[in-house]
């Protein structure tokens, strides 16, 4: 086995049939003061448009956690917000995501008829005190038609450029034509004052597109982006897609296949130039969260190892097909991995399993590797 499990448990455990019973989209980063900061979102039930971003902290490298509550308590009744944390080389913490207004309590954020998300807008925020306080959300003008599916955090490069990936999505308007054959990245070279955009990934098949995209800066300065690649017509999976930029994200090399047939993705850069690629597996092979060690080039993903890290008890809550169309029935997802100050790694993901529900963590080593 490539991995040595050191500890596992819950960052935040939620009980069924209680307020904010569903937790999702966890992301964890080390703070400048040695604390770990984990952000995630909670909602009263799946598909309800009442996402509330939360933050938890750990002072002992993830062994114990303290939930600190909503990031913006003053906004929780007026905006449904999803966002993820990242850390800039300067030590500042950045949030990137989306928000949509709450017009009526209990309203839905999802349309089965259009397979669309309620119209939203891109946002960012910043903390200079280790995540204890945050700027109110700043809006990024949407550069494409439609809503934005934004699970990935902002990538802040060593040169100070900000890059936020998202997948264009249908809205509730069935007449709106959305270019879904791409993953877009918004780019700012002046810390959020102005923004440009480009297609990070582009898909040739008219029925295919991306979801749950991610972008990182590798040790040599290249940017690596990846996403779930799926068929929007029948909900099936293609191998995950990736792309590389040689100029700080302004242009991207042709989109390539990772060769890995998984679902939602996340990336972590390693000091030696390689990367970790973490993904869900609900359909193809052993069910759970997998992790691949990769050394990508512009033409090959460079898979050196690919193993399951966590085995799920069940892929779905009610036994559905686990196709993308059945996302409301998924029983785990959205994993991400952080490199900790002591060289160990921490994976967080959401889980609705017989053994517990909430935000799980697994702290682990990669055998034989000094990080």
């Amino acid at each position: 086995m490539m991995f040595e499990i050191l500890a596992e448990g819950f960052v935040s455990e939620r009980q069924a049939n209680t307020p904010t019973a569903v937790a999702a989209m966890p992301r964890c980063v080390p703070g400048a003061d040695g604390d770990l900061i984990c952000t995630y979102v909670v909602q009263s039930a799946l598909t309800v448009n009442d996402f509330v971003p939360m933050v938890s902290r750990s002072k002992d490298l993830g062994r114990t956690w303290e939930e600190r509550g909503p990031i913006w308590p003053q906004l929780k009744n007026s905006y449904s917000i999803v966002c993820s944390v990242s850390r800039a080389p300067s030590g500042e913490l950045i949030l990137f995501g989306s928000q949509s207004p709450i017009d009526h309590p209990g309203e839905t954020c999802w349309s089965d008829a259009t397979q669309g998300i309620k119209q939203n807008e891109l946002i960012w925020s910043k903390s200079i005190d280790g995540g204890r306080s945050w700027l109110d959300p700043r809006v990024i003008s949407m550069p494409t038609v439609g809503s934005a599916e934004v699970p990935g955090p902002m990538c802040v490069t060593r040169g100070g450029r900000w890059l936020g990936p998202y997948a264009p999505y249908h809205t509730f308007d069935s007449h709106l034509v959305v270019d879904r054959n791409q993953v877009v990245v918004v780019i700012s070279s002046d810390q959020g004052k102005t923004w440009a955009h480009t297609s990070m990934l582009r898909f040739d098949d008219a029925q295919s597109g991306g979801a749950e995209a991610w972008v990182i800066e590798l040790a040599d300065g290249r940017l690596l982006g990846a996403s779930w690649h799926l068929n929007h017509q029948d909900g099936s999976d293609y191998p995950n897609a990736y792309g590389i930029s040689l100029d700080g994200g302004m242009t991207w090399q042709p989109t390539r296949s990772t060769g890995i047939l998984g679902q939602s993705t996340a990336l972590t850069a390693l000091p030696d130039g390689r990367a970790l690629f973490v993904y869900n597996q609900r359909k193809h092979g052993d069910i759970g969260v997998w992790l691949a060690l990769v050394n990508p080039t512009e033409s090959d993903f460079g898979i050196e190892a690919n193993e399951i890290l966590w085995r799920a008890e069940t892929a779905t809550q009610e036994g559905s097909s686990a196709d993308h169309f059945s996302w409301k029935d998924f029983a785990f997802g959205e994993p991400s991995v952080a490199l900790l100050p002591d060289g160990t790694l921490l994976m967080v993901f959401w889980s609705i399993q017989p053994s517990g529900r909430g935000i799980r963590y697994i702290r682990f080593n990669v055998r034989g590797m000094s990080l």
Side-chain angles (χ1 to χ4, degrees), residues 18-276:
T18 60
T20 62
V22 181
M25 219 168 78
R27 314 296 180 215
C28 184
V29 295
D33 57 2
D35 288 3
L36 298 184
I37 297 97
C38 184
T39 64
Y40 48 97
V41 295
V42 297
Q43 62 183 148
S44 59
L46 282 170
T47 78
V48 176
N49 191 47
D50 61 0
F51 286 106
V52 178
M54 306 282 286
V55 64
S56 288
R57 304 181 73 89
S58 173
K59 296 182 178 298
D60 54 12
L61 293 180
R63 295 175 181 86
T64 59
W65 292 88
E66 179 186 358
E67 187 172 292
R68 294 296 182 90
I71 292 173
W72 296 292
Q74 75 277 16
L75 300 178
K76 65 180 183 179
N77 294 321
S78 53
Y79 282 95
S80 178
I81 301 174
V82 295
C83 55
S84 298
V85 69
S86 58
R87 180 181 171 184
S90 65
E92 294 178 332
L93 300 182
I94 308 294
L95 288 173
F96 173 62
S98 66
Q99 67 179 15
S100 58
I102 300 174
D103 296 315
H104 308 287
E107 69 184 13
T108 185
C109 63
W110 177 257
S111 168
D112 283 326
T114 64
Q115 292 291 295
I117 302 169
K118 183 178 180 179
Q119 182 67 65
N120 58 16
E121 54 190 355
L122 298 171
I123 58 167
W124 69 271
S125 179
K126 180 170 68 173
S127 173
I128 61 173
D129 60 4
R132 293 170 178 83
S133 63
W134 296 86
L135 295 176
D136 283 346
R138 273 38 174 180
V139 174
I140 304 169
S141 295
M142 189 79 78
T144 56
V145 173
S147 285
E149 188 253 8
V150 199
M154 190 81 74
C155 170
V156 183
T157 69
R158 292 183 289 276
R161 181 169 288 170
W162 296 7
L163 302 106
Y166 75 91
Y169 247 68
H170 291 307
T171 68
F172 292 0
D173 182 354
S174 60
H175 301 292
L176 197 65
V177 178
V178 179
D179 179 4
R180 298 192 64 188
N181 293 79
Q182 61 179 327
V183 170
V184 177
V185 62
V186 291
I187 305 164
S188 178
S189 300
D190 53 14
Q191 296 193 337
K193 295 181 180 68
T194 61
W195 295 88
H197 75 282
T198 190
S199 292
M200 183 177 85
L201 304 176
R202 174 62 76 171
F203 307 107
D204 295 330
D205 183 345
Q207 300 300 329
S208 74
E212 306 203 12
W214 208 277
V215 60
I216 58 171
E217 182 182 26
L218 297 171
D220 62 6
R222 292 178 301 155
L223 299 184
L224 171 65
S227 87
W228 186 359
H229 184 193
L230 53 101
N231 186 312
H232 291 307
Q233 188 170 45
D234 63 16
S236 62
D237 300 322
Y238 299 103
N240 298 111
Y242 83 98
I244 285 178
S245 174
L246 307 177
D247 60 3
M250 303 308 293
T251 63
W252 291 79
Q253 301 297 302
T255 300
R256 305 292 188 188
S257 169
T258 65
I260 293 174
L261 194 60
Q263 293 89 45
S264 64
T265 65
L267 293 162
T268 302
L270 298 177
D272 65 3
R274 293 180 291 181
L276 294 174

